[in-house]
Amino acid sequence: NVSYEWGCTGGVTPAPAGGNRLMRVLDWPLDGLGTHLVAARQTSAAGDWINLTWPGFVGCIQGLAPGRFAAALNQAPMARRTPLMPLDWVVNRGRLWRRDGLPPAHLLRRVFETCADYAAAKAALRDPPLALPTIFLLSGPGRGQGCVIERRETDATVFEQPAAAANHWQTPGWTGRPRGEDSQGRRRTLAARLADAGPDLTWLAPPVLNETTRLAMVAEPASGRLIARAAVERGLAPVL
C-alpha cells in the first residue's frame, strides 16, 4: 500500500483514572475506510495487541498493546525542496526509493510485535533511520509515560506529555508543508482539551472532527481500555 496522504490529530496525556491515554483522530479522504475498519487482535512474541486497520494493509498506523503501550503515527510535513508543492512531491519520492530505513507504518508494526514495554518502544521509534519523516505518538501505562516523537530520516525531537500533534513540525528550525486542512488549528484545539477530556469521545470538536475524519479513538494501556469509532462516509460531515 503506497497511499500515505492523510492528515491526523492526536495527543498524549494522563488518564483521569490513572495511567496515561492516547487520543487520536484519523483524517483520510478515501471512501470505505470508516465502513471497513477492523480491530485485528494480533499475537506476537512481545504480547497480544490490537491493530486498528483495514483488510490488505500490512503496516500499522494505530494500535494498543494492553499493559505495554498505545501508539499511532501522523504524516509529517512535506519537505520543501522547490517553490512548487507537486514538484516537491516528485523530488521527495525519488529520495525515498534511495533510502534503506523502514517506512514508518512498518516500523510501528515491528515495535508492537517486538517491544516489551514503553521504554523499549520509545527508543525503537526514536532512534533507527526511517525511509521518510513522520510523527509518532506513544503512551505507556506508567506515570509520565507519554510523548510525541517528531522524526526526520536520521534525527528526532521528543515532546513529553501532555502533548498534541497534527501534521506540522513543532521542532524549532524544522520546516515543511503542513498536511491536511488547518493543521495548526487542529493541534491547538486538541491541546486545549487534553487536561479535561472525559473518558469517551466528547472532546471531539471541529476542526479536529471534520468531513474527512474516518476514525476517532482513545486508548489507555494501563487498563487495556480502547474506544474506537468509525466515521461512515455520506458525502458531507462524518457520522460517528
Side-chain angles (χ1 to χ4, degrees):
N1 190 318
V2 298
S3 178
Y4 195 61
E5 303 301 328
W6 63 79
C8 302
T9 315
V12 287
T13 188
N20 308 286
R21 68 166 39 149
L22 169 67
M23 301 154 62
R24 195 286 202 289
V25 175
L26 172 72
D27 300 334
W28 199 357
L30 296 180
D31 290 343
L33 291 186
T35 303
H36 300 293
L37 179 71
V38 173
R41 297 180 181 272
Q42 301 192 209
T43 300
S44 67
D48 294 348
W49 60 289
I50 300 172
N51 185 3
L52 291 176
T53 187
W54 298 270
F57 191 86
V58 298
C60 173
I61 56 176
Q62 62 259 315
L64 168 67
R68 292 191 286 146
F69 53 84
L73 67 84
N74 291 5
Q75 186 173 207
M78 182 185 298
R80 290 181 183 270
R81 306 190 189 279
T82 76
L84 302 175
M85 189 274 285
L87 187 55
D88 279 346
W89 191 93
V90 172
V91 172
N92 288 324
R93 287 290 154 171
R95 287 171 171 258
L96 168 64
W97 295 117
R98 296 194 295 270
R99 300 188 184 110
D100 55 10
L102 282 177
H106 290 199
L107 175 61
L108 187 57
R109 177 167 177 167
R110 187 170 74 178
V111 165
F112 273 108
E113 292 178 341
T114 62
C115 292
D117 54 30
Y118 173 85
K122 185 176 182 179
L125 294 173
R126 180 191 61 209
D127 298 337
L130 282 178
L132 72 168
T134 197
I135 300 170
F136 291 114
L137 298 98
L138 179 66
S139 181
R143 183 174 181 178
Q145 291 185 333
C147 64
V148 168
I149 305 173
E150 293 192 345
R151 283 297 317 268
R152 296 192 297 193
E153 291 86 351
T154 57
D155 55 358
T157 301
V158 178
F159 298 91
E160 301 294 341
Q161 74 171 31
N167 304 104
H168 60 275
W169 296 129
Q170 300 178 70
T171 301
W174 289 17
T175 62
R177 301 180 186 274
R179 311 278 190 163
E181 295 295 327
D182 193 12
S183 180
Q184 292 279 359
R186 287 186 283 114
R187 192 211 70 82
R188 186 167 53 249
T189 299
L190 184 58
R193 301 298 302 274
L194 291 178
D196 61 353
D200 50 22
L201 298 173
T202 56
W203 47 269
L204 274 174
V208 177
L209 177 66
N210 59 74
E211 65 180 13
T212 66
T213 296
R214 298 294 180 262
L215 165 68
M217 65 173 278
V218 175
E220 298 180 355
S223 65
R225 182 173 179 269
L226 174 66
I227 296 175
R229 298 186 68 183
V232 179
E233 303 82 2
R234 299 184 185 277
L236 295 172
V239 178
L240 284 174

